[in-house]
Amino acid sequence: MDNVRVRFAPSPTGYLHIGGLRTALYNYLYAKKNGGQFILRIEDTDRTRFVEGAIENLIDSLKWAGIDYDEGVMVKDGKVVEVGETGPYIQSQRLDIYKKYVDELIEKGYAYYCFCSKERLDKVREEQKIKGMVPKYDGFCRDIPLEEAKKRIEAGEEYVVRLKLPRNKDISFEDAVRGRVTINTDEIDDQVLMKSDGFPTYHMAVVVDDHLMGITHVVRGEEWLPSTPKHVFLYEVLGWAAPTFVHLPTVLNKDRKKLSKRQGDVSVEDFKNKGYLPEGLVNYLALVGWSSEDGEEIFTLDEMVDKFTFERVGKSGGIFDVEKLNWVNAHYIKQYQTEKIAELSMPFMVAEGLMTEEEMKSNWDWYVLLIETVKESLSNLSEVPEKVRFLFGDLNITEEEAKEELAGEQVPDLIKAFEDELSSIEEVDQEFANGVMKKIQKSTGIKGKQLFMPIRAAISGNVHGPELKNIIYLLGKEQLLKRLDEAKAFRK
C-alpha cells in the first residue's frame, strides 16, 4: 500500500460537531494503523459562514480529545500557524491555485461561464418542481461560445463557472463502506465550481486540495456521497488518480434524525462543559457506526487503532445514545485518579454555589474524600454537586423510607448515644468515623439495619448512599450535632 495520507477538513463555522469529531477520529485511527499521516485542513471558502475564533476552537477540541495530527493548521504560542510541506492548509489562501485549474477546465471544454441571475435560477427551479422534476440547472449558458463569454466578462457581466458534465453517462466508484456506487450524470447538476466572488465551491477546492496534498483516502460524512461522482469526474478530466472514498454513516438521535442543536448537545464543547471525560466521549463515539470484531466496547485510543477497520463501519446511521455514553464515561471516571476527578469537578461545585475554589483548595484532602465518596455513582462530572448536596446546608429528609426509619422507637436512644460519643472528642477524625458505630452498638445493644438505617437517615436524610463512615468524617462534629438535633425535630 502507498503511504496512507488522510485529512480532516472542517469549516470554521463555530464549534466542532461531535459528528465531525467522529470523522476526525476515524481518520486518525486509519492513519495510525497504517503508519500514515493525518492532516488538518480548514475549508473556509464559504465566507458568509466564517466565525471568528472557530479555527482555534476546532484545534482545541481535537487536542482535548487526544486526537493528534501530523500536518496542517496548528496553534503555537497562541497563534494559528501552518506546519507541513503541502500547504497552505487554509483554503482562502489558495485562491490562485484553484483559479489555475478552473481556467484549465474551461480551456479543455470541461467547464463553462454561466451568466444566469439568481432570479432566473430560482424561477427555473420553481418550474421544475411544479412539473415534478429534480430541480437543477437547465444548461442555459452551456453552449455560449468561449470568445463570446470572455467578451461579456470584459464588459463587466457577473458570472460563475460551472462544471460541464457529459449527458447520460454512468459514473461509478468504489466506496470502502458502501461498495460500488453508480450515478448517472442526468441526475446531477452542472455544479458551480467558482463563485462570482472568485472563491471556489467545496467541490472544486476539495478535489484540487486532496490531489495536491497527496490524500489517499477521503474519509467524510455520507452527506457528500451524492456529490462524489462530480469529484470523480473532475479527477478524470484533470488527469489525476482518484483517492479511495469512505463515506461514514450519519450520527443520528434516538428518533433517527440528524443530531441538531435544537435537540440539545451536539458540539464537543457541550459535552466537555457537561463534565464528560475525553476518553469517555471518544471511546463512545468510536462505537457510533463502528464495532470491533471481538464485541469489546471499552478501549483506549491505542487499542482502537489496533482493532479499527473500515470493513466494520456500518452503512446505516449510528444512533447517539446518551445513556450508553454515560455508561462508557462512568467507566473512565472510576479509572481516573480521584485527585484528578476532584480537580475537574471544581468548576461545577463553584457554579452551583456549594463551595468556592479557595475552600476546596484549602481543604483539599477533605474535598478529595468527598469526591471519593460519590465517585462510583457518577456518569459525568456535572452530576457532582447533586450527588454531594446532601452534605451541605440543613438536614433535608424527603424520602418516605427515611422518615419511617426515624420514627422507630429505638431512635432517641441512638441519637443520644451518638451525641455522647461526639461530646467526648475535640474533632471527628478518621479513627472516630471508622469506630463510632461499633461504640453506639455496644452502648445501646441495637445492631444491624435497626442501627445503621436510622443513623444514616438522621445525618444524611437518606437510607441509601455512600459509605457511612465517610459521611460521618466529612460532616464533622459541629454539623453532626446540628443534624442530630434536626433529626429529633423530624420525630415530633
Side-chain angles (χ1 to χ4, degrees):
M1 186 189 279
D2 291 339
N3 181 24
V4 166
R5 280 172 69 79
V6 296
R7 50 50 168 196
F8 176 52
S11 299
T13 54
Y15 294 116
L16 177 57
H17 188 284
I18 50 167
L21 180 61
R22 190 196 59 175
T23 301
L25 171 65
Y26 286 8
N27 271 289
Y28 168 86
L29 295 174
Y30 191 71
K32 278 272 176 281
K33 179 156 192 163
N34 294 286
Q37 286 91 43
F38 177 31
I39 295 146
L40 177 67
R41 183 171 78 219
I42 301 296
E43 302 199 336
D44 65 339
T45 55
D46 186 346
R47 302 310 285 170
T48 57
R49 295 173 66 220
F50 182 81
V51 173
E52 205 53 60
I55 294 178
E56 292 85 340
N57 181 277
L58 275 166
I59 292 169
D60 200 45
S61 293
L62 290 173
K63 193 176 173 189
W64 174 80
I67 296 176
D68 301 325
Y69 49 96
D70 309 286
E71 252 180 66
V73 184
M74 302 187 179
V75 172
K76 295 241 169 100
D77 304 324
K79 285 193 181 68
V80 174
V81 297
E82 298 183 43
V83 175
E85 302 295 311
T86 57
Y89 296 94
I90 297 175
Q91 284 185 335
S92 55
Q93 296 169 14
R94 298 172 61 83
L95 300 187
D96 292 352
I97 301 172
Y98 305 129
K99 186 168 184 333
K100 175 185 152 193
Y101 291 108
V102 167
D103 289 348
E104 185 185 315
L105 289 168
I106 289 168
E107 293 305 323
K108 286 179 171 174
Y110 293 119
Y112 59 94
Y113 296 108
C114 170
F115 301 95
C116 293
S117 65
K118 187 182 179 307
E119 289 71 33
R120 180 182 182 277
L121 295 173
D122 290 345
K123 192 166 170 257
V124 167
R125 288 206 163 91
E126 235 5 86
E127 284 169 4
Q128 287 170 331
K129 272 186 197 159
I130 291 164
K131 290 177 185 162
M133 294 159 71
V134 178
K136 60 176 200 165
Y137 183 59
D138 62 354
F140 187 73
C141 296
R142 217 176 134 104
D143 300 317
I144 297 172
L146 192 51
E147 288 314 307
E148 187 191 318
K150 286 182 174 171
K151 278 182 189 145
R152 288 174 70 170
I153 290 165
E154 274 168 37
E157 266 194 72
E158 200 169 272
Y159 67 93
V160 299
V161 176
R162 286 182 183 274
L163 179 62
K164 194 173 200 170
L165 280 168
R167 299 256 159 86
N168 189 20
K169 175 181 157 83
D170 281 344
I171 295 180
S172 300
F173 61 95
E174 287 293 331
D175 185 275
V177 174
R178 310 192 170 256
R180 193 155 189 75
V181 178
T182 302
I183 299 181
N184 189 281
T185 53
D186 285 357
E187 294 169 42
I188 314 171
D189 227 339
D190 272 4
Q191 184 65 52
V192 174
L193 299 179
M194 185 76 85
K195 294 175 283 192
S196 54
D197 60 5
F199 275 80
T201 56
Y202 171 81
H203 307 279
M204 184 68 202
V206 76
V207 168
V208 171
D209 290 348
D210 285 343
H211 172 70
L212 295 181
M213 292 179 187
I215 301 303
T216 59
H217 295 73
V218 169
V219 185
R220 60 188 174 194
E222 69 180 355
E223 66 271 21
W224 295 112
L225 195 64
S227 304
T228 306
K230 302 171 198 176
H231 305 166
V232 171
F233 181 72
L234 277 170
Y235 278 105
E236 199 180 300
V237 297
L238 286 164
W240 300 335
T244 299
F245 293 100
V246 187
H247 288 95
L248 306 174
T250 308
V251 178
L252 305 170
N253 64 20
K254 278 194 156 171
D255 308 329
R256 302 202 71 84
K257 292 194 172 65
K258 200 173 172 183
L259 267 193
S260 78
K261 198 82 190 144
R262 285 190 302 281
Q263 288 135 337
D265 305 318
V266 294
S267 77
V268 176
E269 199 79 358
D270 292 335
F271 288 93
K272 187 178 170 184
N273 292 341
K274 274 264 174 75
Y276 286 93
L277 301 175
E279 295 89 341
L281 184 61
V282 166
N283 185 157
Y284 174 66
L285 269 182
L287 302 170
V288 183
W290 170 82
S291 60
S292 75
E293 210 167 329
D294 56 14
E296 283 292 319
E297 294 196 304
I298 299 284
F299 358 68
T300 62
L301 259 180
D302 286 345
E303 288 166 344
M304 258 183 252
V305 167
D306 193 40
K307 293 169 189 279
F308 185 78
T309 63
F310 288 133
E311 284 75 34
R312 306 276 316 163
V313 173
K315 288 185 179 65
S316 57
I319 305 289
F320 191 88
D321 176 356
V322 175
E323 282 164 31
K324 181 82 174 274
L325 167 64
N326 286 341
W327 174 78
V328 173
N329 202 59
H331 167 84
Y332 285 99
I333 289 177
K334 292 183 183 81
Q335 302 274 305
Y336 258 50
Q337 283 191 319
T338 306
E339 283 81 0
K340 188 67 182 156
I341 295 294
E343 204 182 296
L344 293 169
S345 68
M346 288 167 74
F348 299 101
M349 291 292 283
V350 174
E352 286 293 319
L354 289 180
M355 291 180 86
T356 64
E357 200 172 315
E358 193 38 58
E359 285 169 335
M360 288 180 272
K361 282 181 175 167
S362 55
N363 300 288
W364 187 242
D365 290 345
W366 180 91
Y367 185 63
V368 170
L369 181 70
L370 175 67
I371 297 302
E372 179 69 47
T373 304
V374 296
K375 186 176 160 187
E376 290 291 313
S377 67
L378 296 172
S379 56
N380 66 60
L381 302 184
S382 66
E383 295 172 348
V384 168
E386 219 28 71
K387 301 277 188 192
V388 303
R389 197 181 295 278
F390 73 94
L391 288 166
F392 294 81
D394 296 332
L395 179 68
N396 183 19
I397 302 180
T398 51
E399 278 188 0
E400 280 311 312
E401 208 182 330
K403 290 175 186 171
E404 280 167 27
E405 288 295 346
L406 281 180
E409 57 186 38
Q410 84 282 27
V411 173
D413 292 344
L414 288 175
I415 290 177
K416 168 88 173 62
F418 203 162
E419 286 173 334
D420 289 349
E421 291 298 336
L422 285 165
S423 63
S424 70
I425 55 158
E426 285 295 313
E427 62 175 61
V428 173
D429 57 15
Q430 292 276 9
E431 194 185 339
F432 176 86
N434 293 349
V436 67
M437 294 305 286
K438 236 183 180 51
K439 289 180 178 171
I440 296 170
Q441 181 183 327
K442 209 170 178 182
S443 63
T444 60
I446 301 161
K447 57 185 178 199
K449 273 178 109 172
Q450 296 224 303
L451 164 69
F452 286 95
M453 294 291 219
I455 292 275
R456 188 184 272 283
I459 64 173
S460 76
N462 303 305
V463 288
H464 304 289
E467 276 202 64
L468 195 54
K469 62 182 185 189
N470 285 10
I471 297 173
I472 292 168
Y473 176 77
L474 289 163
L475 281 167
K477 180 174 176 177
E478 209 177 303
Q479 247 334 77
L480 284 167
L481 287 168
K482 181 170 168 286
R483 288 192 169 198
L484 290 169
D485 218 38
E486 288 166 346
K488 288 177 205 167
F490 266 97
R491 288 178 50 80
K492 287 172 186 168

